[in-house]
Amino acid sequence: MNCKVEKSKITGHVTCPANKSYSHRAIFLAALAGNDSKIDNVLFSDDTVATIDTCKKFGAEIEELDSSIIVRKPIKFDIDVPEIDAKNSGTTIRIASGIAGLFTNEITLTGDTSLQKRPMQPLLDALKSIGAKCTSTNGMPPIKITGRILGGDISIPGNFSSQFVSALLICAPLTEKGINLNIDGNLVSKPYLDATIATMRNFGVTVQTLIPYKKYNISPQLYKSSAFTVPIDFSSLALLLSAAVLNGENVVIHGKIGNLPQGDEVFIDILEQMGVKVIIAEEHITIKTPDKLSGGRFDLNNSPDLLPPLAILALKTTNPIEIINVKHARLKETDRISILSRELVKIGIKVQEKEDGLILESSNELRGALLNSENDHRLFMAFCIAGMYVSNCIVTDYESVSVSYPNFVSEMNKLGAKIILE
């Protein structure tokens, strides 16, 4: 389904969704701990539901409430597991692959056509090195994993995805030997690794950091029953802030920020560098925006999900926006660098595509266009926000928002947006 987007001014109150990354991690860890572990403020979206369903197939008994889940009984490592369908969720299939290595029976893991194009080989090689048998289709899903992994020394490249490292950390304490983990090269998306370690600590497991983002030791331990409250999602907040910067007047964004690490929090600093005043209260955020933004050069290596909301701000800048060091954004749900380059040109932004980023510059010839989001939720939302600024745009693949922000269109329209399903 497509959406027609007209020029819009938004105003009023909106609540930022719960964090998708922390929801994934907390669900998996609660499922490993069991014993009535409770997670509050869970994001229920296609991706996180894929994680809940995966944990159920692993044998966990999970009770779902309005905005919470309770894990009554933990994952059972001695059962036959039906095929795991991670849908569109890279986090689900990667963490589930590590956990699958703790079973003795063969487990098949797959996903939708987009997920079947995402790399898995570095993680599979790491699991093989500690005792698993792994087969795959060209290093991508569907994959088959047979454990049981024993633990020991592992080396894994850091330049593909921090999700590989998170998967190994999460399964490590449940191995016989524990794991000594070495990350080769520069680790991308470092804050997501910090998020994994912080959530593991909440469930009673200690990760020993020998050299940050390089060497870790995880001794054999058991996850303990715990409660966890998921913070707001700065990836979604960045999109809401972009909407407010481009199209807003007196927009108030509600949600508790909390003190858990989130790499995308840097978007606040980026906006302030571009001339936006961001006012953060205990439970809400407001902004004051100049007539024109100043542009700048931004390194998104640790926060690749900020690429779409930052790129569209070029609509309102006096100087170019240069985005660097985010080559791994080509390995997300789509090649986001390529698609942003291809589509933003249609609405009049001048775009120079680099291997690891983009240079974007506003023009005086903005115009409506058909924007193809390639079924990528973050691109769909960014293109809708751009359409609200430009007017007369059609944005494809409305269904994709169910991955991370199912109520995005309805909540934008409540604020005054003109986004019409077609």
Side-chain angles (χ1 to χ4, degrees):
M1 188 180 294
N2 297 338
C3 287
K4 183 174 178 61
V5 187
E6 297 293 354
K7 192 168 187 66
S8 310
K9 276 292 178 188
I10 58 174
T11 186
H13 295 251
V14 63
T15 298
C16 183
N19 186 282
K20 184 159 74 85
S21 297
Y22 275 106
S23 291
H24 280 303
R25 286 156 177 77
I27 292 163
F28 274 119
L29 294 176
L32 290 167
N35 296 316
D36 297 336
S37 290
K38 186 179 182 185
I39 308 167
D40 290 314
N41 197 37
V42 176
L43 174 71
F44 286 105
S45 69
D46 284 358
D47 275 15
T48 55
V49 168
T51 287
I52 292 170
D53 289 345
T54 294
C55 290
K56 289 178 178 177
K57 287 183 178 179
F58 281 154
E61 293 184 16
I62 299 176
E63 180 180 347
E64 298 170 46
L65 307 173
D66 286 345
S67 60
S68 305
I69 69 163
I70 301 173
V71 181
R72 299 298 185 189
K73 294 183 180 179
I75 287 171
K76 303 170 186 174
F77 294 112
D78 57 352
I79 63 169
D80 289 326
V81 176
E83 181 177 277
I84 300 294
D85 183 358
K87 307 296 184 184
N88 187 245
S89 177
T91 305
T92 302
I93 198 168
R94 286 161 175 168
I95 295 178
S97 294
I99 294 172
L102 297 167
F103 287 74
T104 53
N105 296 329
E106 181 181 88
I107 297 176
T108 300
L109 304 99
T110 189
D112 65 12
T113 53
S114 172
L115 195 65
Q116 290 178 22
K117 297 175 184 176
R118 300 183 71 175
M120 291 289 294
Q121 196 62 50
L123 177 58
L124 300 182
D125 290 342
L127 292 172
K128 285 179 186 176
S129 73
I130 54 172
K133 295 179 181 177
C134 306
T135 58
S136 68
T137 304
N138 300 321
M140 293 174 280
I143 58 177
K144 295 181 185 295
I145 296 174
T146 308
R148 176 172 170 94
I149 52 176
L150 299 175
D153 296 329
I154 296 179
S155 291
I156 190 163
N159 62 327
F160 284 95
S161 173
S162 66
Q163 291 172 356
F164 298 155
V165 182
S166 289
L168 295 169
L169 290 182
I170 285 171
C171 67
L174 300 177
T175 62
E176 182 180 320
K177 301 177 183 177
I179 286 177
N180 295 307
L181 181 62
N182 181 73
I183 300 167
D184 296 328
N186 180 53
L187 178 67
V188 297
S189 305
K190 293 181 180 72
Y192 290 94
L193 182 55
D194 297 332
T196 300
I197 293 170
T199 313
M200 291 171 68
R201 186 185 309 119
N202 186 89
F203 285 88
V205 165
T206 300
V207 176
Q208 184 180 8
T209 303
L210 304 177
I211 302 175
Y213 313 118
K214 280 291 184 185
K215 291 182 182 292
Y216 295 89
N217 172 261
I218 309 93
S219 62
Q221 301 165 71
L222 294 176
Y223 287 105
K224 298 173 184 175
S225 174
S226 185
F228 185 90
T229 299
V230 178
I232 64 170
D233 194 321
F234 265 89
S235 303
S236 297
L237 179 63
L239 286 155
L240 291 174
L241 287 168
S242 282
V245 167
L246 290 176
N247 310 297
E249 186 174 321
N250 299 322
V251 174
V252 181
I253 304 170
H254 292 268
K256 289 186 178 181
I257 293 174
N259 56 8
L260 289 164
Q262 292 197 52
D264 289 347
E265 194 170 356
V266 74
F267 199 68
I268 303 293
D269 299 329
I270 290 172
L271 290 180
E272 290 180 336
Q273 187 175 328
M274 295 174 75
V276 179
K277 184 176 181 181
V278 182
I279 303 105
I280 301 175
E282 186 177 347
E283 295 191 10
H284 67 268
I285 296 173
T286 55
I287 63 168
K288 292 182 180 178
T289 307
D291 290 336
K292 287 289 185 179
L293 306 175
S294 59
R297 190 170 191 259
F298 305 102
D299 185 334
L300 296 188
N301 186 261
N302 287 331
S303 46
D305 284 343
L306 295 183
L307 178 62
L310 178 54
I312 60 173
L313 292 182
L315 288 164
K316 200 176 180 178
T317 56
T318 53
N319 298 306
I321 291 175
E322 183 176 2
I323 301 169
I324 64 167
N325 208 16
V326 70
K327 183 179 179 181
H328 48 302
R330 295 187 182 276
L331 302 174
K332 290 287 188 176
E333 287 87 334
T334 59
D335 181 343
R336 287 180 177 161
I337 292 175
S338 174
I339 295 171
L340 284 164
S341 176
R342 183 190 73 203
E343 299 301 308
L344 293 183
V345 166
K346 296 178 182 177
I347 57 175
I349 295 176
K350 299 172 184 176
V351 184
Q352 185 178 351
E353 182 178 342
K354 303 281 190 178
E355 184 181 13
D356 72 336
L358 297 165
I359 301 174
L360 307 109
E361 188 175 356
S362 184
S363 74
N364 296 321
E365 300 178 3
L366 300 179
R367 55 191 174 271
L370 171 64
L371 299 174
N372 186 351
S373 71
E374 300 280 3
N375 210 34
D376 185 320
H377 57 124
R378 299 202 192 281
L379 293 178
F380 172 84
M381 290 184 278
F383 290 161
C384 282
I385 293 164
M388 289 158 58
Y389 186 85
V390 173
S391 185
N392 194 31
C393 287
I394 302 291
V395 183
T396 68
D397 304 312
Y398 156 75
E399 295 84 358
S400 64
V401 287
S402 61
V403 164
S404 64
Y405 196 165
N407 298 327
F408 172 77
V409 169
S410 62
E411 292 192 0
M412 283 293 101
N413 285 340
K414 285 178 186 176
L415 295 176
K418 298 172 184 175
I419 305 174
I420 304 143
L421 300 184
E422 293 193 329

